[in-house]
Amino acid sequence: MSGGARGKRSAGLLLFRHTDQGLEVLLGHMGGPLFARRDAGAWSVPKGEYEPDEPAWDAARREFQEELGIAPPEGEAIELGEVRQANGKVVTAWAIEADLDPAAMVPGTFRMEWPPKSGQVQEFPELDRVEWLSVERAREVVVTAQATFLDRLAEHSG
């Protein structure tokens, strides 16, 4: 992205559950060729961009549906606030306690020219996999700025 993310806003939902192994969060691995071989920094809260006239909460729920192909869960939403990613994009997130089966998810897709300058447009999944991860593992692989959401969730759940 050529600085195009600066000034853009995204909203998303971070699902969490308590297991015998501790607190886990649901993250998605970003799809497409740019992230195919990456792990660290390639996982994200399911989220997406929205226009200034759309409430962030509505956008978070809509994007969850679009990215995962299932309705967002009901439940108490915990505000996790905003973070600014390295690309300048501001992300707002809420946490909801829920236990969804990642196998039931059908990620949305996006189209991009690939290989670059080839004139060929291919379709890729927005998220190529979705998994429950321990907070410790999530911290190792999530987009750096989004680790703040994990900290805020841990404070709330502590």
Side-chain angles (χ1 to χ4, degrees), residues 34-52:
L34 302 178
F35 297 99
R37 291 185 173 84
R38 286 184 51 197
D39 198 36
W43 291 78
S44 176
V45 170
K47 62 172 182 48
E49 292 181 6
Y50 65 98
E51 296 301 320

Side-chain angles (χ1 to χ4, degrees), residues 57-77:
W57 170 248
D58 294 347
R61 294 180 57 78
R62 174 182 51 76
E63 286 294 335
F64 186 92
Q65 174 92 40
E66 287 179 14
E67 294 235 335
L68 301 181
I70 57 173
E74 296 299 325
E76 177 193 353

Side-chain angles (χ1 to χ4, degrees), residues 2-122:
S2 57
R6 209 156 285 287
K8 293 194 175 177
R9 301 184 70 81
S10 277
L13 300 178
L14 177 62
L15 300 192
F16 69 97
R17 67 183 184 184
H18 295 279
T19 70
D20 293 342
Q21 288 76 43
L23 184 64
E24 293 183 340
V25 293
L26 188 75
L27 295 181
H29 184 271
M30 292 181 266
L34 302 178
F35 297 99
R37 291 185 173 84
R38 286 184 51 197
D39 198 36
W43 291 78
S44 176
V45 170
K47 62 172 182 48
E49 292 181 6
Y50 65 98
E51 296 301 320
D53 60 345
E54 182 180 15
W57 170 248
D58 294 347
R61 294 180 57 78
R62 174 182 51 76
E63 286 294 335
F64 186 92
Q65 174 92 40
E66 287 179 14
E67 294 235 335
L68 301 181
I70 57 173
E74 296 299 325
E76 177 193 353
I78 301 162
E79 287 188 49
L80 298 178
E82 296 181 345
V83 298
R84 182 178 299 275
Q85 296 185 160
N87 63 6
K89 183 182 288 183
V90 174
V91 180
T92 304
W94 288 264
I96 297 178
E97 187 166 6
D99 191 0
L100 298 180
D101 179 1
M105 299 174 201
V106 183
T109 60
F110 69 96
R111 297 170 64 80
M112 69 180 278
E113 182 180 17
W114 192 262
K117 301 181 178 148
S118 66
Q120 297 176 28
V121 176
Q122 295 187 47

